[in-house]
Amino acid sequence: MADFKTIDDMDLDGKVVLTRVDLNVPVDQGRVTDATRIEKIVPTVKDIQEKGGIPVLLAHFDRPKGKRVDSMSLKQIVPALEAALGQPVAFADDCIGGPAKRVVAALNPGDVALLENTRFHEGEEGNDQTFAASMAALGGAYINDAFSAAHRAHASTEGLARLLPAGAGRLMEAELKALDAALGNPERPVVAIVGGAKVSTKLELLTNLIEKVDHLVIGGGMANTFLVAKGIEVGKSLAERDMADTASAILEKADATGCQIHLPVDIVVAREFKAGAASETLPVDQCPADAMILDAGPDTVEQLRDVFGRCRTLIWNGPLGAFEIEPFDQATNAAARVAADATRDGSLVSVAGGGDTVAALNKAGVAGDFTFISTAGGAFLEWMEGKELPGVAALTD
């Protein structure tokens, strides 16, 4: 991984520090209902202040498409932000121009300000250089702490990093170090779990991983498509039968690169997709014609226990079954506990990411035991696909 500066490497004393953060939090009737993302930026804000800098926060909220939309104003975030930081937060009702200049000019060391939604301007998503320069004129340094937006080449994520001395915030720093430990320079052997409904949405991911990991576990509806490719009947299960040739090609490429692919060896099937549905566990090649595969079975979990025991690094993206409803969450829960145990005893570095994955690990009660869990969504997935993230590249160039 290329080098990047952090708060520790930068002279911030007396400078206004434009700080890109992720405040895209759930809001109901003007009230933040989950402040997790807000709480995660606190170390960055406090460390900038500790170094004598004055943090001025930049963020987007929702998708206003370059227009001012009152319901998407960041002003409604201010109370939750003040609660997390334990201090007043000045608010400017624009991120450029007079309103922003007046608020920034009134700040003193120890203060913090939040500027209005960057996406109220078309220049944000267009990475317009004039718009970026208008924001840059407000500060003397730039910190990006929003890895979750790093896959977008926007003015506040990429453009500003080209115009001011730039570095990574604490959250960005932790994310980049964790990802480097997982795929950049990992301890081997490496195992990746990729689950989800469709092969077609994760083709680039699978193609990239089979060249970088030693073991690839495929779960969820995706596994059914691979079973079809191997000539195994899957009944009424979700499967992309038109992708069978693509799945076969991935299996062949894995053989050529020395990556061992693991598919379910036993399955949990049901006739209906609902909580508490009658189910049975069968060998993988015995799915009844009128049934659906909704989870992997206990023998598959034992196989994964063996794989985890032989590996030093785990990357996890996607559940092994229909984890949202019982009893089809059992394989995901059991495998997650095995990974958590190995992480706790120091034998495994475990990195997970993606919305469903985070939800599944939380449901299994083991999220706190993993080495690192990314909440970055699209950026995490694009990183796993091997794509360059503009917001990261701008910090490392």
Side-chain angles (χ1 to χ4, degrees), residues 12 17 51 85 99 107 116 125 130 142 163 169 212 218 231 251-252 264 277 300 314 323 344 349 361 378 388:
L12 304 179
V17 184
K51 291 204 71 177
L85 293 172
L107 296 173
E116 184 57 283
E125 295 188 67
T130 302
Y142 171 75
L163 298 173
K212 298 204 172 163
I218 299 176
L251 291 170
E252 290 174 11
T300 301
L314 164 68
F323 79 98
R344 277 197 305 273
V349 172
L361 297 181
E388 181 178 85

Side-chain angles (χ1 to χ4, degrees), residues 190-194 209 213 215-218 313-316 384:
V190 181
V191 55
I193 294 180
V194 178
L209 286 178
V213 305
H215 297 268
L216 177 58
V217 178
I218 299 176
T313 303
L314 164 68
I315 310 159
W316 193 327
M384 285 185 71

Side-chain angles (χ1 to χ4, degrees), residues 8-200:
D8 299 322
D9 305 312
M10 300 179 70
D11 175 15
L12 304 179
D13 193 29
K15 294 179 180 176
V16 169
V17 184
L18 298 179
T19 308
R20 182 55 161 96
V21 293
D22 183 357
L23 298 179
N24 203 20
V25 295
V27 171
D28 183 30
Q29 296 182 338
R31 189 178 65 85
V32 173
T33 57
D34 182 351
T36 304
R37 284 182 170 175
I38 295 173
E39 290 157 2
K40 284 181 179 289
I41 71 169
V42 172
T44 292
V45 173
K46 295 300 183 185
D47 284 357
I48 290 171
Q49 291 174 325
E50 187 71 24
K51 291 204 71 177
I54 302 172
V56 171
L57 308 182
L58 296 167
H60 74 275
F61 184 75
D62 214 327
R63 294 188 173 97
K65 301 185 185 301
K67 296 182 176 63
R68 183 173 286 271
V69 180
D70 289 343
S71 63
M72 298 179 192
S73 172
L74 281 171
K75 190 169 187 178
Q76 60 197 321
I77 308 296
V78 170
L81 187 56
E82 290 180 330
L85 293 172
Q87 69 175 99
V89 174
F91 180 74
D93 65 5
D94 204 344
C95 60
I96 58 171
K101 288 177 181 177
R102 286 189 289 274
V103 166
V104 170
L107 296 173
N108 295 304
D111 290 345
V112 60
L114 172 64
L115 307 187
E116 184 57 283
N117 194 338
T118 57
R119 288 188 182 175
F120 281 1
H121 295 267
E122 287 185 356
E124 165 68 341
E125 295 188 67
N127 200 7
D128 180 80
Q129 291 306 294
T130 302
F131 175 63
S134 296
M135 285 190 291
L138 298 168
Y142 171 75
I143 293 291
N144 191 343
D145 207 32
F147 178 80
S148 55
H151 58 314
R152 307 293 189 207
H154 291 174
S156 69
T157 59
E158 201 267 356
L160 275 176
R162 310 284 186 189
L163 298 173
L164 293 170
R170 297 307 186 202
L171 197 56
M172 175 78 86
E173 178 185 357
E175 191 100 33
L176 293 179
K177 286 180 177 177
L179 300 188
D180 191 49
L183 266 191
N185 294 285
E187 288 191 57
R188 291 194 172 275
V190 181
V191 55
I193 294 180
V194 178
K198 296 183 176 181
V199 173
S200 55

Side-chain angles (χ1 to χ4, degrees), residues 271-286:
R271 268 74 181 179
E272 50 186 346
F273 182 61
K274 70 174 186 179
S279 63
E280 56 185 324
T281 302
L282 299 167
V284 71
D285 59 354
Q286 292 183 24

